[in-house]
């Protein structure tokens, strides 16, 4: 949930975030590009992917919802066992 006229910023290093639902009036910006939901309600074709530095902006005066599918990429130095 993004508060009215609010903004959420976070780092998503070694991650890809796929938008599965976005409410009207939200804008998502990242190092991968920009997605805004001005002309369509929900996701019509493909999920839009974001990563690295992600910023979500609510341009409306009401709380809005966005849903992501988070993919965490494995790296050689992430400490996990094979």
């Amino acid at each position: 949930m993004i508060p009215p006229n609010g903004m959420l910023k976070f780092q998503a290093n070694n991650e890809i975030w796929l938008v599965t639902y976005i409410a009207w009036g939200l804008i998502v910006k990242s190092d991968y590009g920009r997605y805004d939901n001005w002309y369509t309600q929900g996701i019509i074709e493909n999920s839009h992917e974001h990563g690295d530095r992600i910023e979500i902006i609510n341009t409306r005066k009401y709380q809005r919802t966005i849903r992501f599918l988070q993919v965490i990429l494995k790296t050689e130095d992430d400490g996990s066992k094979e």
Side-chain angles (χ1 to χ4, degrees), residues 1-7 57-64:
M1 298 294 240
I2 310 301
N5 298 309
M7 179 185 305
I57 304 162
N58 183 356
T59 63
R60 299 297 188 207
K61 61 182 178 179
Y62 302 105
Q63 183 171 291
R64 296 291 182 200

Side-chain angles (χ1 to χ4, degrees), residues 12-71:
N13 297 324
N14 298 322
E15 301 173 4
I16 297 174
W17 290 62
L18 304 170
V19 177
T20 60
Y21 172 81
I22 186 169
W24 181 261
L26 290 179
I27 298 171
V28 181
K29 295 192 280 186
S30 75
D31 291 346
Y32 287 28
R34 174 187 169 116
Y35 182 87
D36 56 51
N37 192 16
W38 295 110
Y39 302 107
T40 58
Q41 182 66 31
I43 303 298
I44 302 302
E45 295 178 10
N46 295 332
S47 295
H48 195 81
E49 71 180 49
H50 292 277
D52 297 330
R53 200 175 25 132
I54 299 175
E55 184 176 304
I56 306 167
I57 304 162
N58 183 356
T59 63
R60 299 297 188 207
K61 61 182 178 179
Y62 302 105
Q63 183 171 291
R64 296 291 182 200
T65 302
I66 187 166
R67 286 188 211 117
F68 288 99
L69 174 64
Q70 179 187 23
V71 179

